[in-house]
Amino acid sequence: MSISTINTDKLFAFLRKLVEGKKLSVQDAHEASNEIYNMAAINTIERFGSRLDALNESSNAKLDALNESQRVGMEALERKYNSIIWIIGAIGGAITLLFAAMTVMVAIIALG
């Protein structure tokens, strides 16, 4: 996620001048401070970028877990719904058989 590049050669040349006891010109000092500023900015951007990437991965993992939980919950709800439908059907069938048996009994009694 590198935004810009750091010119370490320039910075090294400036630091070498200082170590050798040479004075930096105003332009050299300005360029050195700009290079240091760029290094700090790039480092800050990289850190925020990596934190945002980690936050994004964490959010995606939580969303995936939530979706999986919802899917499992929906499957359980669907099983309950199907069970209720079967129970209603069985009760309806039992009532139908009861009425049929009663009708047969009434017919036997009436004809008998």
Side-chain angles (χ1 to χ4, degrees):
M1 187 177 164
S2 184
I3 303 300
S4 179
T5 57
I6 301 169
N7 189 351
T8 55
D9 294 336
K10 270 187 175 181
L11 194 54
F12 179 73
F14 295 140
L15 292 174
R16 206 168 108 205
K17 276 185 181 180
L18 289 174
V19 168
E20 291 172 354
K22 297 177 184 175
K23 289 188 175 183
L24 290 180
S25 68
V26 173
Q27 180 63 29
D28 288 345
H30 181 68
E31 286 183 36
S33 68
N34 280 341
E35 288 300 320
I36 292 169
Y37 175 78
N38 286 337
M39 288 172 66
I42 290 169
N43 186 30
T44 303
I45 291 169
E46 289 288 335
R47 286 179 145 194
F48 279 125
S50 65
R51 286 183 182 174
L52 286 174
D53 290 343
L55 182 61
N56 187 29
E57 289 176 19
S58 172
S59 296
N60 286 341
K62 288 177 183 177
L63 186 58
D64 290 343
L66 182 62
N67 286 339
E68 179 64 19
S69 173
Q70 186 178 16
R71 185 189 63 79
V72 169
M74 289 301 291
E75 287 175 356
L77 187 62
E78 185 178 347
R79 283 193 300 272
K80 287 179 184 177
Y81 174 77
N82 288 337
S83 298
I84 290 171
I85 294 298
W86 276 97
I87 290 170
I88 290 171
I91 291 172
I95 291 172
T96 302
L97 288 176
L98 181 64
F99 280 125
M102 287 174 35
T103 304
V104 169
M105 287 175 67
V106 167
I108 291 173
I109 291 173
L111 294 174

